């Protein structure tokens, strides 16, 4: 059966001398793997569309197992991402998180839009940290994780000073602080942003500029939360963290 679908290339793996296996996140069928025969040869018509992060329209032969890519047409190449080492590291992390955090052949148009929009934004120069935070917060629901960000996990109070309790799965208010000695201290700004990134539609994101300390706080909460609950170990995340510390070092030397 021949099917046409729209997809984003999450990953490509060499297969044999000339082929690639391409993992696509498609709007219609969710995540699927397809064999792109000859795609390792630069002259192949499939090589141009088998590039990481590319958004295109694909025609494939679907089978119960791995389908075969017949044709592809690029819609957005996302080339700016691939030409920048830092942006590539961010996009590779988003792609791996999407890949590892989803099941095959389970359509999720909402997730498709999220990933497409995040790559578009990276490609256009929006702060990659903000994009990554939004994707990480929104992927929680996709993986069946629901932190409580509307009120205190203990007393349900909506006002006060909030910190984040990894153990108790959400915000904890100052009245209940003693219930979790390991709570992560956060500023009101960080609490507001965590909630915003979790609920907000990325398509409506304007320009956001975050202080370095705020980013560090958000990152700390998200990283600890993923460590505790996601069960994922992502190589791209380690690489991204190394890149970031390298970048910080360079920035320090500049000033
Ligand atoms: Zn409370």
């Amino acid at each position: 059966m021949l099917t046409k679908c729209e997809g984003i290339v999450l990953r490509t793996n060499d297969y044999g001398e000339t082929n690639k296996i391409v993992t696509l996140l498609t709007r219609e069928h969710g995540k699927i793997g397809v064999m792109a025969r000859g795609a390792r040869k630069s002259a192949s018509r499939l090589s141009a569309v088998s590039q990481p992060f590319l958004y295109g329209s694909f025609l494939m032969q679907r089978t119960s197992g791995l389908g075969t890519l017949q044709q592809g047409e690029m819609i957005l190449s996302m080339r700016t991402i691939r030409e920048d080492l830092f942006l590539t590291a961010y996009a590779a992390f988003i792609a791996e998180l999407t890949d590892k955090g989803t099941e095959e052949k389970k359509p999720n148009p909402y997730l498709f839009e999220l990933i497409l929009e995040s790559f578009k934004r990276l490609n256009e120069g929006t702060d990659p940290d903000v994009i990554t935070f939004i994707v990480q917060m929104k992927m929680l629901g996709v993986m069946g994780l629901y932190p409580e960000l509307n009120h205190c996990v203990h007393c349900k109070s909506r006002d006060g000073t909030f910190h984040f309790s990894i153990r108790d799965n959400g915000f904890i208010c100052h009245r209940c602080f003693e219930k979790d000695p390991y709570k992560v201290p956060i500023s009101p700004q960080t609490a507001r942003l965590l909630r915003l990134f979790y609920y907000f539609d990325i398509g409506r994101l304007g320009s956001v500029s975050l202080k370095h300390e705020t980013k560090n706080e958000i990152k700390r909460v998200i990283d600890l939360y993923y460590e505790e609950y996601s069960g994922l170990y992502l190589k791209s995340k380690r690489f991204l963290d190394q890149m970031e510390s390298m970048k910080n070092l360079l920035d320090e030397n500049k000033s």
Side-chain angles (χ1 to χ4, degrees):
M1 186 181 62
L2 274 180
T3 342
K4 200 175 174 185
C5 60
E6 272 183 36
I8 304 160
V9 178
L10 293 180
R11 179 161 62 95
T12 70
N13 293 88
D14 291 343
Y15 188 83
E17 295 277 299
T18 56
N19 310 321
K20 273 185 185 175
I21 294 173
V22 180
T23 305
L24 293 170
L25 181 70
T26 69
R27 193 193 295 276
E28 295 84 352
H29 314 291
K31 182 180 74 174
I32 50 175
V34 287
M35 175 73 77
R37 297 199 183 280
R40 288 191 67 190
K41 293 189 234 161
S42 55
S44 154
R45 60 199 166 82
L46 294 183
S47 99
V49 290
S50 307
Q51 306 289 330
F53 323 130
L54 176 137
Y55 166 48
S57 151
F58 299 90
L59 186 68
M60 61 190 72
Q61 184 86 45
R62 288 193 80 202
T63 57
S64 55
L66 197 66
T68 310
L69 187 59
Q70 303 286 336
Q71 276 176 42
E73 213 175 300
M74 185 254 285
I75 300 173
L76 285 171
S77 89
M78 309 289 179
R79 182 197 287 208
T80 309
I81 298 178
R82 283 193 304 279
E83 287 174 350
D84 181 299
L85 198 57
F86 285 101
L87 288 181
T88 298
Y90 282 96
F93 168 57
I94 290 173
E96 193 184 7
L97 176 59
T98 309
D99 185 13
K100 299 269 168 68
T102 54
E103 289 165 45
E104 283 217 331
K105 298 175 184 171
K106 215 175 142 189
N108 183 342
Y110 162 81
L111 177 67
F112 179 84
E113 290 303 331
L114 172 68
I115 301 306
L116 177 58
E117 192 62 31
S118 74
F119 283 175
K120 277 190 199 167
R121 299 280 178 147
L122 282 180
N123 200 57
E124 288 161 7
T126 305
D127 184 338
D129 288 317
V130 172
I131 299 301
T132 306
F133 292 151
I134 294 176
V135 173
Q136 283 178 299
M137 288 307 285
K138 291 192 178 296
M139 272 301 289
L140 294 176
V142 174
M143 297 188 291
L145 299 169
Y146 306 99
E148 181 52 73
L149 304 175
N150 285 315
H151 50 68
C152 172
V153 288
H154 291 286
C155 70
K156 315 286 182 212
S157 177
R158 286 174 187 272
D159 54 49
T161 302
F162 292 100
H163 286 178
F164 196 95
S165 169
I166 301 290
R167 192 192 64 192
D168 301 330
N169 197 29
F171 286 165
I172 183 168
C173 81
H174 65 278
R175 287 164 291 254
C176 305
F177 276 172
E178 64 194 33
K179 290 185 176 152
D180 181 6
Y182 303 108
K183 64 190 177 310
V184 185
I186 52 172
S187 65
Q189 160 89 334
T190 294
R192 198 179 63 81
L193 287 165
L194 283 170
R195 197 185 300 118
L196 185 78
F197 293 160
Y198 189 67
Y199 291 109
F200 191 71
D201 175 7
I202 189 175
R204 293 171 51 211
L205 183 72
S207 67
V208 187
S209 127
L210 301 185
K211 279 186 299 184
H212 198 66
E213 307 86 78
T214 310
K215 279 187 180 180
N216 283 344
E217 275 186 11
I218 296 171
K219 187 172 182 303
R220 178 141 184 263
V221 170
I222 295 179
D223 284 355
L224 287 169
Y225 194 87
Y226 265 80
E227 242 167 68
E228 184 73 20
Y229 295 109
S230 77
L232 297 176
Y233 174 80
L234 307 178
K235 272 190 287 183
S236 57
K237 173 69 169 114
R238 238 184 84 105
F239 183 68
L240 183 61
D241 288 343
Q242 286 166 348
M243 287 270 278
E244 276 181 350
S245 44
M246 212 170 75
K247 203 175 174 184
N248 287 340
L249 218 73
L250 290 173
D251 288 347
E252 276 166 28
N253 285 345
K254 252 186 267 170
S255 59

